Amino acid sequence: MTSLLFYNEPEFLCREAHKALKFKALSDYSFTEHVNSVPLTGIEFFEASRDMPVLFRKEEDGNFLPLALLSLMNEGHKQLDETGSWSDSYIPAFVRRYPFAMTDEGAVCFDRKSKQLAEEEGKPLFNDKGENTKELNNILTFLNSYDKQQKATRDYCAECKELDLLAPFNLQVMLDNNPLRLEGLYAISEEKLAKLPADKVNTWFCSGWLAWSYAHLHSLSAISRLAKKQKRPASAKQTSN
């Protein structure tokens, strides 16, 4: 399940059962080390486009999902340093929300196996009266904002599909004299985007979707930056998770 990609033991947050639970923020993102892409919301396309390509993947149900491509490898990426800290590039909100997540129904869950959660040290999530602490309220604010942006992104992708704007994005690049192929990904057709009727262009401009689309197209130039981050790929044929 993509939405819980990093969660080894997801559990619903319960005021009574977890009244002693504490949260400790860490800069260790090594839990991401085995993936080569993560979901991205539309509002993030701008910042992400400077550092990584934003592409789309077709899900089993036929709908599309935008991804931040972290590497050109089959598995893993080079965004982390030796300590597990994220290097000088954008950190997607999908990564920053860990170890918490919110279901479509608004329930909050967390990864029981996360090093950021314990009863011994950290900032409490609930006070002595069982009420939310400021720490938990800040987490909930972030999760609610992410959920809102995620739903807006789904609407955007649904309209891209309806307007037939997405086309297969197959690209071959050379890295250390080895050919790398990107397959199974999609990008917006700039030609079709330019032919949108005036009323649709106005609607997309007002909603921010037009800007998202051009940020996505701009991000494709970041493929060369990814290539420079890695010395040699794991195999000659590369695909996105």
Side-chain angles (χ1 to χ4, degrees):
M1 185 177 179
T2 302
S3 61
L4 294 178
L5 184 62
F6 307 123
Y7 302 72
N8 296 303
E9 193 177 312
E11 185 175 326
F12 287 111
L13 184 64
C14 175
R15 191 180 304 275
E16 183 59 34
H18 305 120
K19 58 185 177 182
L21 199 62
K22 296 180 176 66
F23 172 68
K24 180 174 62 175
L26 299 175
S27 59
D28 183 357
Y29 293 99
S30 57
F31 61 87
T32 71
E33 63 185 355
H34 297 300
V35 303
N36 64 8
S37 62
V38 293
L40 202 68
T41 61
I43 198 69
E44 298 179 88
F45 288 8
F46 301 100
E47 288 191 80
S49 68
R50 295 192 296 267
D51 303 309
M52 53 197 69
V54 178
L55 290 159
F56 296 82
R57 183 181 68 198
K58 194 172 187 178
E59 302 288 86
E60 291 182 1
D61 60 6
N63 293 320
F64 290 89
L65 171 75
L67 299 170
L69 200 62
L70 304 179
S71 81
L72 302 176
M73 302 184 289
N74 276 329
E75 182 179 323
H77 62 90
K78 300 288 187 178
Q79 306 293 339
L80 306 177
D81 63 20
E82 62 277 2
T83 68
S85 294
W86 204 275
S87 61
D88 57 344
S89 62
Y90 179 70
I91 307 175
F94 184 87
V95 172
R96 286 183 279 121
R97 71 173 184 164
Y98 182 85
F100 297 96
M102 181 177 285
T103 67
D104 289 339
E105 294 74 30
V108 176
C109 61
F110 65 97
D111 185 2
R112 214 15 158 159
K113 294 292 187 180
S114 172
K115 298 176 182 178
Q116 295 176 266
L117 294 164
E119 295 186 358
E120 294 76 25
E121 59 177 324
K123 295 182 179 180
L125 298 179
F126 302 101
N127 62 23
D128 294 338
K129 297 179 181 179
E131 301 168 332
N132 294 1
T133 61
K134 181 179 179 181
E135 186 70 20
L136 180 55
N137 282 333
N138 287 339
I139 291 168
L140 294 176
T141 297
F142 179 83
L143 292 177
N144 278 301
S145 176
Y146 180 81
D147 182 63
K148 180 181 178 181
Q149 292 302 327
Q150 194 175 41
K151 289 175 180 175
T153 304
R154 287 177 193 162
D155 292 341
Y156 166 71
C157 289
E159 183 138 344
C160 284
K161 178 184 176 181
E162 183 179 342
L163 296 171
D164 194 30
L165 291 179
L166 294 164
F169 183 81
N170 297 316
L171 175 70
Q172 180 169 299
V173 296
M174 296 298 294
L175 184 66
D176 293 335
N177 296 318
N178 290 313
L180 295 170
R181 259 190 97 74
L182 296 176
E183 296 179 335
L185 297 168
Y186 291 77
I188 285 178
S189 165
E190 195 166 2
E191 180 181 355
K192 289 183 178 180
L193 184 64
K195 292 180 180 178
L196 285 179
D199 61 333
K200 187 64 69 175
V201 170
N202 184 61
T203 300
W204 274 43
F205 176 80
C206 293
S207 66
W209 291 0
L210 194 61
W212 292 5
S213 299
Y214 282 108
H216 147 66
L217 291 170
H218 171 264
S219 78
L220 301 182
S221 64
I223 289 174
S224 61
R225 286 195 285 279
L226 281 189
K228 291 177 182 178
K229 274 184 175 284
Q230 58 197 68
K231 294 180 180 179
R232 188 175 293 275
S235 66
K237 187 177 182 179
Q238 303 296 325
T239 59
S240 174
N241 280 343

